Amino acid sequence: MTTTTPAQQTVFEELVTATKILLHEGILDPFGHISARDPEDPQSFFLAQKLAPSHITTGDIQRFNMEGETEDNRPSYLERYIHSEIYKARPDVHCVLHSHSPAVLPYCFTDQPLRPVTHMGAFLGDAVPVYEIRDKHGDATDLFGGGHDVCADIAEALGDYPVVLMARHGVVNVGRSVREVVFRAFYTEQEAKAQTAGLQIGNIKYLSPGEIETAGKLVGAQIDRGWDHWTMTLRQAGLLA
C-alpha cells in the first residue's frame, strides 16, 4: 500500500501503540497480534506482517480482504483467518486481538467458566464462551486457527460476545475500536486473576445480570482514560515518542 488516508494512518499508529501497551502490560507474548478494520473500506482490515510484536512499526501493516488474503508479498500470520472470519461474521467489530493472556489461559483448559467478578469486567457478560476444536476436528490437531473452517467456527463460538477462548490455546478479544479492545484485554486479564484468587479464598459472588448491564455501560464509557494512562506509562519508560 503506497498511500494512506489520515484515518488509515491513525489506525496504523493505534495498532502499533496498542501492541506496545499489550506487550508492556504482559498480555501479549511474541505470538499474538492485533488488527483493525479499514475505516475507508469495511470489507478490508489491517494487520502487521508476520513479525515479533516488539519489532512492528507502521510500515509493517498489511491490508487484507474478508478472506484473509493480501496482495502484499511479505509473510503473513498463519492465524489471520481468525481476524477475517470474525470481521465477516460481526459487522460491528472494528478490532480483533489474539493473545495468550497469561491469567486467562487456565480458563482455556479447565471446566471453570470465566465470569465477571468486579465492575471492571462487566463487559464479559454472563460467561466467556469457549471454542472447542475437538468437537469437529478431533484430538490430533495443532490447536491453531490456521484455516477458514476452524476460524469460522471460532467466530460462531464468539457469537455476540466480546471475548472467546480457544480451548488449550488462547484468547480472542473484539471491540468497536482499537482502544476498546486494549481496554477489554487488560481487564479480561485482571478479571481472570481476580477470579482465580477468589476461587482459592471462598465462594465467589459473581455479578448479577443487572450489574453486568448497568456497570458495563458505566465502565465502557471510560476507555480513553485507560488509553491515556497506558500511553503515558510507555512514554515515561521511553517506549513511545
Side-chain angles (χ1 to χ4, degrees):
M1 194 170 193
T2 56
T3 60
T4 58
T5 68
Q8 290 170 331
Q9 187 62 32
T10 296
V11 169
F12 293 2
E13 292 169 359
E14 286 200 340
L15 286 174
V16 173
T17 300
T19 300
K20 291 178 182 293
I21 291 170
L22 295 165
L23 285 169
H24 192 253
E25 297 298 331
I27 294 166
L28 206 59
D29 69 2
F31 298 94
H33 29 81
I34 184 169
S35 69
R37 197 184 289 270
D38 184 348
E40 308 289 0
D41 176 11
Q43 296 303 306
S44 300
F45 67 95
F46 296 116
L47 174 66
Q49 66 165 314
K50 187 179 180 181
L51 285 174
S54 57
H55 289 241
I56 291 171
T57 69
T58 56
D60 295 306
I61 306 299
Q62 298 177 308
R63 187 170 186 265
F64 295 85
N65 61 28
M66 288 293 102
E67 297 306 317
E69 304 304 332
T70 180
E71 295 179 359
D72 190 319
N73 60 12
R74 293 174 295 180
S76 302
Y77 291 113
L78 295 176
E79 295 162 299
R80 63 189 181 275
Y81 302 116
I82 294 174
H83 302 258
S84 63
E85 292 298 330
I86 289 174
Y87 287 125
K88 194 186 302 182
R90 291 276 302 272
D92 62 306
V93 166
H94 287 260
C95 180
V96 176
L97 166 69
H98 173 55
S99 75
H100 310 115
S101 194
V104 185
L105 283 180
Y107 296 90
C108 299
F109 56 78
T110 65
D111 61 359
Q112 176 66 51
L114 178 59
R115 297 174 59 187
V117 292
T118 77
H119 67 300
M120 297 304 292
F123 67 89
L124 293 172
D126 53 348
V128 176
V130 180
Y131 166 68
E132 176 53 82
I133 194 170
R134 290 177 182 171
D135 289 345
K136 289 187 178 180
H137 301 280
D139 60 3
T141 70
D142 58 13
L143 297 171
F144 253 64
H148 290 285
D149 54 347
V150 169
C151 294
D153 290 342
I154 293 171
E156 182 179 3
L158 172 67
D160 293 329
Y161 285 85
V163 187
V164 64
L165 307 184
M166 296 168 61
R168 298 169 302 285
H169 183 147
V171 190
V172 180
N173 291 85
V174 305
R176 293 164 293 186
S177 68
V178 173
R179 295 185 181 203
E180 182 173 61
V181 167
V182 170
F183 186 93
R184 287 177 169 180
F186 181 88
Y187 286 105
T188 301
E189 173 78 3
Q190 179 171 287
E191 288 296 288
K193 287 180 182 177
Q195 183 175 344
T196 299
L199 289 168
Q200 296 170 354
I201 296 171
N203 296 321
I204 295 178
K205 295 181 180 179
Y206 295 98
L207 266 64
S208 69
E211 289 168 340
I212 288 171
E213 181 178 359
T214 307
K217 290 177 181 177
L218 176 66
V219 175
Q222 311 303 315
I223 60 173
D224 283 341
R225 187 191 300 186
W227 184 266
D228 291 344
H229 169 74
W230 294 314
T231 53
M232 179 57 72
T233 300
L234 290 179
R235 290 189 184 97
Q236 292 172 339
L239 299 173
L240 188 67

